[in-house]
Amino acid sequence: MGRRRVVMAIAGAGVVAVAGAALLLSGEQGSQAAGAVPRAPAPEDPLTGGEIARAGAIASATSRAHMAIGRVSLLYVERDDDKDAEDRRRADAYLYDYGSDKLIVRTVDLGRGEVVEESVSRGVQPPPSKAEEVRAAELLLADSAYGGGVRRAYAKAGGRELRSAADLGLRGLIFTPVQEGGGAGQCETHRCVRLFVRLPDTTWLDTSRIIVDLSAKKIHTLEW
């Protein structure tokens, strides 16, 4: 996949946070530091928070109508690693189209403020984003067979009523069936998530047989 191999590396890397060391200055030195112009990031530096937000907005501009109805989701934004573009600040934005089950990668040139490259593929499934984990939990809570049980388990473990899916401790993994079973065969092409749910008392809900199909917006139950 060339430089697109970073798609699969997201699973181990997750979301990278960069923290700067605090330098305590006093008197005149402190005043000079306060008025200093921040150094522009070098091409090899990690993306800043502002660059991530800007790249996401630029990459999503042509998909906003589909994003508004939940058909398309922005998954991640990361620095582009194209060695031929080291003199530029570029970012790769990963979007998923649940209607066609396609992964869309748009490369944004941050200096020019535009998309300079796009690739579309099927069968490539990056790990779920945090927003997708919450969406999967919302589908689980709305399910007539499982929603009530999740709410009762939460109340028993936390002593209060579950307010929203965001209250749950969530961890999602992409599910790809080895063979069809329990209706989950659609996950061969759909974006499906195996959701792990942590309750307030730090115990984990038994969701081992539950698969959330984000493409079809439904729940599959595995048959052992």
Side-chain angles (χ1 to χ4, degrees), residues 59-119:
S60 302
T62 58
S63 301
R64 287 173 184 164
H66 284 160
M67 293 176 73
I69 61 175
R71 169 170 171 158
V72 173
S73 177
L74 174 64
L75 304 181
Y76 310 101
V77 175
E78 64 180 16
R79 184 173 64 84
D80 178 63
D81 68 347
D82 187 349
K83 301 305 181 184
D84 295 331
E86 288 184 349
D87 59 331
R88 290 186 174 276
R89 294 287 284 173
R90 308 200 331 172
D92 290 331
Y94 297 85
L95 300 94
Y96 196 85
D97 186 330
Y98 304 101
S100 61
D101 281 297
K102 293 179 180 178
L103 177 68
I104 305 166
V105 183
R106 291 176 179 153
T107 301
V108 177
D109 186 315
L110 291 163
R112 292 161 57 182
E114 63 183 21
V115 174
V116 294
E117 185 179 340
E118 176 179 298
S119 66

Short mmCIF file of all heavy atoms in Angstrom, two decimals, residues 59-119:
data_model
loop_
_atom_site.label_atom_id
_atom_site.label_comp_id
_atom_site.label_asym_id
_atom_site.label_seq_id
_atom_site.Cartn_x
_atom_site.Cartn_y
_atom_site.Cartn_z
N ALA A 59 -10.72 18.61 4.48
CA ALA A 59 -10.97 17.30 3.88
C ALA A 59 -12.45 16.95 3.88
O ALA A 59 -12.91 16.19 3.03
CB ALA A 59 -10.18 16.23 4.63
N SER A 60 -13.19 17.47 4.84
CA SER A 60 -14.61 17.13 4.98
C SER A 60 -15.53 18.06 4.20
O SER A 60 -16.75 17.83 4.15
CB SER A 60 -15.02 17.19 6.46
OG SER A 60 -14.23 16.31 7.23
N ALA A 61 -14.98 19.11 3.61
CA ALA A 61 -15.81 20.15 3.00
C ALA A 61 -16.79 19.61 1.97
O ALA A 61 -17.94 20.05 1.91
CB ALA A 61 -14.91 21.22 2.37
N THR A 62 -16.36 18.65 1.16
CA THR A 62 -17.24 18.13 0.11
C THR A 62 -18.13 16.99 0.61
O THR A 62 -18.92 16.45 -0.17
CB THR A 62 -16.41 17.64 -1.09
OG1 THR A 62 -15.49 16.63 -0.64
CG2 THR A 62 -15.64 18.78 -1.72
N SER A 63 -17.99 16.62 1.87
CA SER A 63 -18.77 15.49 2.41
C SER A 63 -19.72 15.92 3.53
O SER A 63 -20.28 15.07 4.20
CB SER A 63 -17.82 14.40 2.95
OG SER A 63 -16.97 13.93 1.94
N ARG A 64 -19.87 17.21 3.73
CA ARG A 64 -20.63 17.68 4.89
C ARG A 64 -22.09 17.26 4.87
O ARG A 64 -22.68 16.96 5.91
CB ARG A 64 -20.52 19.21 5.00
CG ARG A 64 -19.14 19.65 5.48
CD ARG A 64 -18.96 21.15 5.45
NE ARG A 64 -17.60 21.51 5.82
CZ ARG A 64 -17.05 22.69 5.59
NH1 ARG A 64 -17.76 23.64 4.98
NH2 ARG A 64 -15.81 22.94 5.96
N ALA A 65 -22.69 17.23 3.69
CA ALA A 65 -24.10 16.82 3.61
C ALA A 65 -24.25 15.37 4.06
O ALA A 65 -25.16 15.03 4.81
CB ALA A 65 -24.63 17.00 2.19
N HIS A 66 -23.34 14.49 3.61
CA HIS A 66 -23.39 13.08 4.01
C HIS A 66 -23.01 12.90 5.48
O HIS A 66 -23.53 12.02 6.16
CB HIS A 66 -22.46 12.25 3.12
CG HIS A 66 -23.03 11.99 1.76
ND1 HIS A 66 -22.24 11.64 0.69
CD2 HIS A 66 -24.30 12.02 1.30
CE1 HIS A 66 -23.01 11.46 -0.38
NE2 HIS A 66 -24.26 11.70 -0.04
N MET A 67 -22.11 13.75 5.97
CA MET A 67 -21.74 13.67 7.38
C MET A 67 -22.90 14.08 8.27
O MET A 67 -23.09 13.53 9.35
CB MET A 67 -20.50 14.54 7.65
CG MET A 67 -19.24 14.03 6.97
SD MET A 67 -17.80 15.11 7.19
CE MET A 67 -17.42 14.78 8.92
N ALA A 68 -23.69 15.04 7.81
CA ALA A 68 -24.82 15.53 8.61
C ALA A 68 -25.87 14.46 8.83
O ALA A 68 -26.57 14.46 9.85
CB ALA A 68 -25.44 16.75 7.93
N ILE A 69 -25.99 13.52 7.91
CA ILE A 69 -26.99 12.46 8.05
C ILE A 69 -26.36 11.15 8.52
O ILE A 69 -27.02 10.12 8.57
CB ILE A 69 -27.76 12.23 6.72
CG1 ILE A 69 -26.80 11.81 5.60
CG2 ILE A 69 -28.53 13.48 6.33
CD1 ILE A 69 -27.51 11.45 4.30
N GLY A 70 -25.07 11.19 8.86
CA GLY A 70 -24.41 10.02 9.41
C GLY A 70 -23.92 9.01 8.41
O GLY A 70 -23.48 7.93 8.78
N ARG A 71 -23.94 9.36 7.12
CA ARG A 71 -23.46 8.40 6.11
C ARG A 71 -21.94 8.35 6.07
O ARG A 71 -21.34 7.31 5.84
CB ARG A 71 -24.01 8.74 4.73
CG ARG A 71 -23.32 7.93 3.63
CD ARG A 71 -23.95 8.04 2.28
NE ARG A 71 -23.09 7.40 1.27
CZ ARG A 71 -23.51 6.96 0.11
NH1 ARG A 71 -24.79 7.07 -0.21
NH2 ARG A 71 -22.66 6.42 -0.75
N VAL A 72 -21.30 9.50 6.27
CA VAL A 72 -19.84 9.60 6.24
C VAL A 72 -19.34 10.10 7.58
O VAL A 72 -19.96 10.95 8.22
CB VAL A 72 -19.37 10.55 5.11
CG1 VAL A 72 -17.87 10.79 5.18
CG2 VAL A 72 -19.76 9.99 3.75
N SER A 73 -18.21 9.55 8.01
CA SER A 73 -17.61 9.97 9.29
C SER A 73 -16.13 10.24 9.08
O SER A 73 -15.44 9.51 8.37
CB SER A 73 -17.79 8.87 10.34
OG SER A 73 -17.16 9.22 11.56
N LEU A 74 -15.65 11.31 9.71
CA LEU A 74 -14.22 11.60 9.74
C LEU A 74 -13.60 10.78 10.86
O LEU A 74 -13.95 10.97 12.03
CB LEU A 74 -13.97 13.09 9.95
CG LEU A 74 -12.52 13.53 10.14
CD1 LEU A 74 -11.70 13.25 8.88
CD2 LEU A 74 -12.44 15.01 10.50
N LEU A 75 -12.70 9.88 10.53
CA LEU A 75 -12.12 8.99 11.52
C LEU A 75 -10.89 9.59 12.19
O LEU A 75 -10.85 9.72 13.42
CB LEU A 75 -11.74 7.66 10.88
CG LEU A 75 -12.84 6.89 10.15
CD1 LEU A 75 -12.29 5.57 9.60
CD2 LEU A 75 -14.03 6.63 11.07
N TYR A 76 -9.90 9.93 11.40
CA TYR A 76 -8.62 10.39 11.94
C TYR A 76 -7.99 11.42 11.00
O TYR A 76 -8.29 11.45 9.81
CB TYR A 76 -7.60 9.24 12.08
CG TYR A 76 -8.11 8.03 12.79
CD1 TYR A 76 -8.52 6.89 12.08
CD2 TYR A 76 -8.19 7.98 14.18
CE1 TYR A 76 -8.99 5.76 12.73
CE2 TYR A 76 -8.65 6.86 14.83
CZ TYR A 76 -9.05 5.75 14.11
OH TYR A 76 -9.52 4.65 14.76
N VAL A 77 -7.09 12.19 11.58
CA VAL A 77 -6.20 13.05 10.79
C VAL A 77 -4.80 12.83 11.32
O VAL A 77 -4.57 12.85 12.53
CB VAL A 77 -6.58 14.54 10.92
CG1 VAL A 77 -5.54 15.41 10.18
CG2 VAL A 77 -7.98 14.81 10.37
N GLU A 78 -3.83 12.59 10.41
CA GLU A 78 -2.44 12.42 10.83
C GLU A 78 -1.51 13.04 9.80
O GLU A 78 -1.92 13.32 8.67
CB GLU A 78 -2.12 10.94 11.02
CG GLU A 78 -2.21 10.12 9.75
CD GLU A 78 -1.88 8.65 10.00
OE1 GLU A 78 -1.86 8.23 11.16
OE2 GLU A 78 -1.64 7.94 9.01
N ARG A 79 -0.27 13.27 10.20
CA ARG A 79 0.70 13.88 9.30
C ARG A 79 0.99 12.95 8.13
O ARG A 79 1.21 11.76 8.31
CB ARG A 79 2.00 14.20 10.06
CG ARG A 79 3.05 14.93 9.22
CD ARG A 79 4.23 15.35 10.08
NE ARG A 79 4.95 14.21 10.62
CZ ARG A 79 5.88 13.53 9.97
NH1 ARG A 79 6.22 13.86 8.74
NH2 ARG A 79 6.49 12.50 10.54
N ASP A 80 1.01 13.51 6.94
CA ASP A 80 1.34 12.74 5.75
C ASP A 80 2.83 12.41 5.76
O ASP A 80 3.67 13.25 6.09
CB ASP A 80 0.99 13.55 4.50
CG ASP A 80 1.35 12.81 3.22
OD1 ASP A 80 0.77 11.75 2.99
OD2 ASP A 80 2.23 13.30 2.50
N ASP A 81 3.18 11.17 5.43
CA ASP A 81 4.57 10.74 5.50
C ASP A 81 5.21 10.59 4.13
O ASP A 81 6.19 9.86 3.97
CB ASP A 81 4.68 9.42 6.27
CG ASP A 81 4.06 8.23 5.53
OD1 ASP A 81 3.33 8.48 4.54
OD2 ASP A 81 4.30 7.09 5.93
N ASP A 82 4.70 11.27 3.14
CA ASP A 82 5.26 11.20 1.80
C ASP A 82 6.63 11.88 1.80
O ASP A 82 6.75 13.08 2.00
CB ASP A 82 4.33 11.90 0.80
CG ASP A 82 4.77 11.71 -0.64
OD1 ASP A 82 5.90 11.21 -0.85
OD2 ASP A 82 3.99 12.05 -1.54
N LYS A 83 7.68 11.10 1.58
CA LYS A 83 9.04 11.63 1.64
C LYS A 83 9.31 12.64 0.53
O LYS A 83 10.24 13.45 0.62
CB LYS A 83 10.06 10.49 1.56
CG LYS A 83 9.91 9.45 2.67
CD LYS A 83 9.97 10.09 4.05
CE LYS A 83 9.84 9.04 5.14
NZ LYS A 83 9.80 9.65 6.51
N ASP A 84 8.52 12.60 -0.54
CA ASP A 84 8.71 13.54 -1.64
C ASP A 84 8.13 14.91 -1.34
O ASP A 84 8.26 15.84 -2.13
CB ASP A 84 8.06 13.00 -2.92
CG ASP A 84 8.74 11.73 -3.40
OD1 ASP A 84 9.95 11.58 -3.13
OD2 ASP A 84 8.06 10.89 -4.02
N ALA A 85 7.46 15.02 -0.19
CA ALA A 85 6.83 16.30 0.16
C ALA A 85 7.34 16.82 1.50
O ALA A 85 6.63 17.44 2.25
CB ALA A 85 5.31 16.12 0.22
N GLU A 86 8.62 16.57 1.78
CA GLU A 86 9.18 16.95 3.07
C GLU A 86 9.23 18.46 3.28
O GLU A 86 9.35 18.93 4.40
CB GLU A 86 10.58 16.35 3.23
CG GLU A 86 10.57 14.84 3.46
CD GLU A 86 11.96 14.29 3.71
OE1 GLU A 86 12.93 15.04 3.50
OE2 GLU A 86 12.05 13.11 4.10
N ASP A 87 9.18 19.22 2.18
CA ASP A 87 9.26 20.66 2.32
C ASP A 87 7.89 21.28 2.60
O ASP A 87 7.76 22.49 2.69
CB ASP A 87 9.84 21.28 1.04
CG ASP A 87 9.00 20.95 -0.20
OD1 ASP A 87 8.36 19.88 -0.19
OD2 ASP A 87 8.99 21.77 -1.13
N ARG A 88 6.88 20.45 2.74
CA ARG A 88 5.53 20.97 2.96
C ARG A 88 4.89 20.32 4.19
O ARG A 88 5.21 19.20 4.56
CB ARG A 88 4.63 20.71 1.74
CG ARG A 88 4.98 21.55 0.52
CD ARG A 88 3.96 21.33 -0.58
NE ARG A 88 4.18 22.21 -1.70
CZ ARG A 88 3.73 23.46 -1.78
NH1 ARG A 88 3.03 23.97 -0.78
NH2 ARG A 88 3.95 24.20 -2.85
N ARG A 89 3.95 21.05 4.78
CA ARG A 89 3.14 20.50 5.88
C ARG A 89 1.89 19.91 5.25
O ARG A 89 1.05 20.64 4.70
CB ARG A 89 2.77 21.59 6.88
CG ARG A 89 3.94 22.18 7.64
CD ARG A 89 4.48 21.21 8.67
NE ARG A 89 3.63 21.12 9.84
CZ ARG A 89 3.81 20.25 10.82
NH1 ARG A 89 4.78 19.37 10.76
NH2 ARG A 89 3.01 20.23 11.87
N ARG A 90 1.76 18.61 5.30
CA ARG A 90 0.61 17.93 4.71
C ARG A 90 0.02 16.97 5.73
O ARG A 90 0.71 16.45 6.60
CB ARG A 90 1.01 17.17 3.44
CG ARG A 90 1.75 18.06 2.46
CD ARG A 90 1.77 17.57 1.03
NE ARG A 90 1.70 16.16 0.78
CZ ARG A 90 1.56 15.64 -0.45
NH1 ARG A 90 1.47 16.43 -1.49
NH2 ARG A 90 1.54 14.35 -0.63
N ALA A 91 -1.27 16.73 5.60
CA ALA A 91 -1.98 15.85 6.52
C ALA A 91 -2.87 14.90 5.74
O ALA A 91 -3.41 15.26 4.68
CB ALA A 91 -2.83 16.67 7.49
N ASP A 92 -3.01 13.68 6.25
CA ASP A 92 -3.92 12.68 5.67
C ASP A 92 -5.16 12.59 6.54
O ASP A 92 -5.06 12.34 7.75
CB ASP A 92 -3.25 11.31 5.59
CG ASP A 92 -2.15 11.27 4.55
OD1 ASP A 92 -2.24 12.02 3.57
OD2 ASP A 92 -1.20 10.48 4.73
N ALA A 93 -6.32 12.80 5.94
CA ALA A 93 -7.59 12.69 6.65
C ALA A 93 -8.29 11.42 6.18
O ALA A 93 -8.45 11.20 4.98
CB ALA A 93 -8.46 13.91 6.38
N TYR A 94 -8.70 10.57 7.14
CA TYR A 94 -9.35 9.31 6.84
C TYR A 94 -10.84 9.44 7.10
O TYR A 94 -11.27 9.73 8.23
CB TYR A 94 -8.76 8.19 7.71
CG TYR A 94 -7.30 7.93 7.45
CD1 TYR A 94 -6.32 8.68 8.07
CD2 TYR A 94 -6.91 6.92 6.56
CE1 TYR A 94 -4.98 8.45 7.82
CE2 TYR A 94 -5.56 6.69 6.31
CZ TYR A 94 -4.60 7.46 6.94
OH TYR A 94 -3.28 7.23 6.69
N LEU A 95 -11.64 9.23 6.07
CA LEU A 95 -13.09 9.28 6.18
C LEU A 95 -13.66 7.92 5.76
O LEU A 95 -13.09 7.23 4.90
CB LEU A 95 -13.69 10.37 5.29
CG LEU A 95 -13.25 11.81 5.57
CD1 LEU A 95 -12.08 12.19 4.66
CD2 LEU A 95 -14.40 12.79 5.37
N TYR A 96 -14.79 7.55 6.37
CA TYR A 96 -15.42 6.29 5.99
C TYR A 96 -16.84 6.56 5.53
O TYR A 96 -17.60 7.28 6.18
CB TYR A 96 -15.45 5.31 7.16
CG TYR A 96 -15.74 3.89 6.71
CD1 TYR A 96 -14.70 3.08 6.26
CD2 TYR A 96 -17.04 3.39 6.70
CE1 TYR A 96 -14.96 1.79 5.81
CE2 TYR A 96 -17.30 2.11 6.24
CZ TYR A 96 -16.26 1.31 5.80
OH TYR A 96 -16.52 0.05 5.35
N ASP A 97 -17.18 5.98 4.36
CA ASP A 97 -18.52 6.09 3.79
C ASP A 97 -19.26 4.79 4.09
O ASP A 97 -18.97 3.74 3.51
CB ASP A 97 -18.42 6.31 2.28
CG ASP A 97 -19.77 6.58 1.63
OD1 ASP A 97 -20.80 6.06 2.13
OD2 ASP A 97 -19.80 7.30 0.62
N TYR A 98 -20.21 4.85 5.04
CA TYR A 98 -20.95 3.65 5.44
C TYR A 98 -21.95 3.20 4.37
O TYR A 98 -22.36 2.05 4.36
CB TYR A 98 -21.70 3.91 6.75
CG TYR A 98 -20.80 4.37 7.87
CD1 TYR A 98 -20.73 5.71 8.22
CD2 TYR A 98 -20.02 3.46 8.59
CE1 TYR A 98 -19.90 6.14 9.24
CE2 TYR A 98 -19.19 3.89 9.61
CZ TYR A 98 -19.14 5.24 9.92
OH TYR A 98 -18.30 5.67 10.93
N GLY A 99 -22.33 4.11 3.49
CA GLY A 99 -23.28 3.75 2.44
C GLY A 99 -22.66 2.85 1.39
O GLY A 99 -23.30 1.92 0.90
N SER A 100 -21.41 3.11 1.04
CA SER A 100 -20.72 2.31 0.03
C SER A 100 -19.62 1.44 0.63
O SER A 100 -18.98 0.67 -0.08
CB SER A 100 -20.09 3.23 -1.03
OG SER A 100 -19.14 4.10 -0.43
N ASP A 101 -19.42 1.56 1.95
CA ASP A 101 -18.36 0.84 2.67
C ASP A 101 -17.01 1.04 2.00
O ASP A 101 -16.32 0.08 1.63
CB ASP A 101 -18.70 -0.65 2.79
CG ASP A 101 -19.70 -0.88 3.92
OD1 ASP A 101 -19.37 -0.60 5.08
OD2 ASP A 101 -20.84 -1.30 3.62
N LYS A 102 -16.65 2.30 1.86
CA LYS A 102 -15.36 2.66 1.26
C LYS A 102 -14.59 3.57 2.22
O LYS A 102 -15.17 4.43 2.88
CB LYS A 102 -15.57 3.37 -0.08
CG LYS A 102 -16.15 2.48 -1.17
CD LYS A 102 -16.36 3.25 -2.46
CE LYS A 102 -16.95 2.36 -3.54
NZ LYS A 102 -17.19 3.12 -4.81
N LEU A 103 -13.29 3.36 2.27
CA LEU A 103 -12.40 4.23 3.02
C LEU A 103 -11.86 5.29 2.07
O LEU A 103 -11.33 4.97 1.00
CB LEU A 103 -11.24 3.44 3.63
CG LEU A 103 -10.19 4.27 4.39
CD1 LEU A 103 -10.79 4.84 5.68
CD2 LEU A 103 -8.96 3.42 4.70
N ILE A 104 -12.00 6.54 2.46
CA ILE A 104 -11.54 7.67 1.65
C ILE A 104 -10.38 8.34 2.40
O ILE A 104 -10.53 8.71 3.55
CB ILE A 104 -12.68 8.70 1.43
CG1 ILE A 104 -13.90 8.02 0.82
CG2 ILE A 104 -12.20 9.85 0.56
CD1 ILE A 104 -15.17 8.86 0.89
N VAL A 105 -9.25 8.48 1.73
CA VAL A 105 -8.10 9.16 2.32
C VAL A 105 -7.82 10.41 1.49
O VAL A 105 -7.53 10.31 0.29
CB VAL A 105 -6.85 8.26 2.36
CG1 VAL A 105 -5.70 8.99 3.05
CG2 VAL A 105 -7.16 6.95 3.08
N ARG A 106 -7.92 11.56 2.11
CA ARG A 106 -7.66 12.83 1.43
C ARG A 106 -6.43 13.49 2.04
O ARG A 106 -6.36 13.68 3.24
CB ARG A 106 -8.88 13.75 1.54
CG ARG A 106 -10.08 13.23 0.74
CD ARG A 106 -11.32 14.06 0.91
NE ARG A 106 -12.41 13.52 0.09
CZ ARG A 106 -13.69 13.67 0.39
NH1 ARG A 106 -14.07 14.34 1.46
NH2 ARG A 106 -14.61 13.14 -0.40
N THR A 107 -5.49 13.82 1.17
CA THR A 107 -4.27 14.48 1.60
C THR A 107 -4.45 15.98 1.45
O THR A 107 -4.77 16.47 0.36
CB THR A 107 -3.05 14.01 0.78
OG1 THR A 107 -2.91 12.59 0.94
CG2 THR A 107 -1.79 14.69 1.24
N VAL A 108 -4.23 16.69 2.54
CA VAL A 108 -4.42 18.14 2.59
C VAL A 108 -3.06 18.84 2.66
O VAL A 108 -2.25 18.53 3.53
CB VAL A 108 -5.28 18.55 3.80
CG1 VAL A 108 -5.41 20.08 3.88
CG2 VAL A 108 -6.66 17.89 3.73
N ASP A 109 -2.83 19.76 1.74
CA ASP A 109 -1.65 20.62 1.81
C ASP A 109 -2.05 21.81 2.69
O ASP A 109 -2.86 22.64 2.29
CB ASP A 109 -1.26 21.09 0.40
CG ASP A 109 0.04 21.88 0.39
OD1 ASP A 109 0.21 22.77 1.26
OD2 ASP A 109 0.88 21.63 -0.48
N LEU A 110 -1.48 21.85 3.89
CA LEU A 110 -1.88 22.88 4.85
C LEU A 110 -1.44 24.27 4.43
O LEU A 110 -2.09 25.26 4.78
CB LEU A 110 -1.33 22.53 6.23
CG LEU A 110 -1.98 21.31 6.88
CD1 LEU A 110 -1.13 20.78 8.03
CD2 LEU A 110 -3.38 21.63 7.37
N GLY A 111 -0.33 24.36 3.69
CA GLY A 111 0.12 25.66 3.22
C GLY A 111 -0.82 26.24 2.17
O GLY A 111 -1.13 27.43 2.19
N ARG A 112 -1.29 25.39 1.27
CA ARG A 112 -2.20 25.83 0.22
C ARG A 112 -3.65 25.78 0.66
O ARG A 112 -4.52 26.38 0.02
CB ARG A 112 -2.01 24.94 -1.02
CG ARG A 112 -0.66 25.14 -1.69
CD ARG A 112 -0.27 23.98 -2.58
NE ARG A 112 -1.26 23.72 -3.63
CZ ARG A 112 -1.14 22.73 -4.51
NH1 ARG A 112 -0.09 21.92 -4.46
NH2 ARG A 112 -2.07 22.55 -5.42
N GLY A 113 -3.93 25.06 1.73
CA GLY A 113 -5.29 24.99 2.24
C GLY A 113 -6.25 24.25 1.34
O GLY A 113 -7.41 24.64 1.20
N GLU A 114 -5.77 23.14 0.72
CA GLU A 114 -6.64 22.40 -0.19
C GLU A 114 -6.25 20.93 -0.24
O GLU A 114 -5.15 20.54 0.14
CB GLU A 114 -6.56 23.00 -1.59
CG GLU A 114 -5.18 22.92 -2.22
CD GLU A 114 -5.14 23.59 -3.58
OE1 GLU A 114 -6.00 24.43 -3.87
OE2 GLU A 114 -4.23 23.27 -4.37
N VAL A 115 -7.21 20.12 -0.71
CA VAL A 115 -6.96 18.70 -0.91
C VAL A 115 -6.14 18.53 -2.18
O VAL A 115 -6.52 19.03 -3.25
CB VAL A 115 -8.28 17.91 -1.01
CG1 VAL A 115 -8.01 16.45 -1.37
CG2 VAL A 115 -9.06 18.00 0.30
N VAL A 116 -5.00 17.84 -2.09
CA VAL A 116 -4.13 17.66 -3.25
C VAL A 116 -4.10 16.23 -3.74
O VAL A 116 -3.53 15.94 -4.80
CB VAL A 116 -2.69 18.14 -2.92
CG1 VAL A 116 -2.68 19.63 -2.68
CG2 VAL A 116 -2.12 17.39 -1.72
N GLU A 117 -4.70 15.32 -2.99
CA GLU A 117 -4.70 13.91 -3.40
C GLU A 117 -5.84 13.19 -2.70
O GLU A 117 -6.19 13.53 -1.56
CB GLU A 117 -3.36 13.26 -3.04
CG GLU A 117 -3.20 11.83 -3.53
CD GLU A 117 -1.84 11.26 -3.16
OE1 GLU A 117 -0.91 12.04 -2.86
OE2 GLU A 117 -1.70 10.02 -3.15
N GLU A 118 -6.43 12.22 -3.37
CA GLU A 118 -7.50 11.42 -2.77
C GLU A 118 -7.39 9.98 -3.25
O GLU A 118 -7.11 9.73 -4.42
CB GLU A 118 -8.87 11.98 -3.13
CG GLU A 118 -10.03 11.14 -2.62
CD GLU A 118 -11.40 11.72 -2.96
OE1 GLU A 118 -11.69 12.83 -2.50
OE2 GLU A 118 -12.16 11.06 -3.71
N SER A 119 -7.60 9.04 -2.34
CA SER A 119 -7.66 7.63 -2.71
C SER A 119 -8.89 7.02 -2.06
O SER A 119 -9.29 7.42 -0.96
CB SER A 119 -6.40 6.88 -2.27
OG SER A 119 -6.32 6.82 -0.86
#
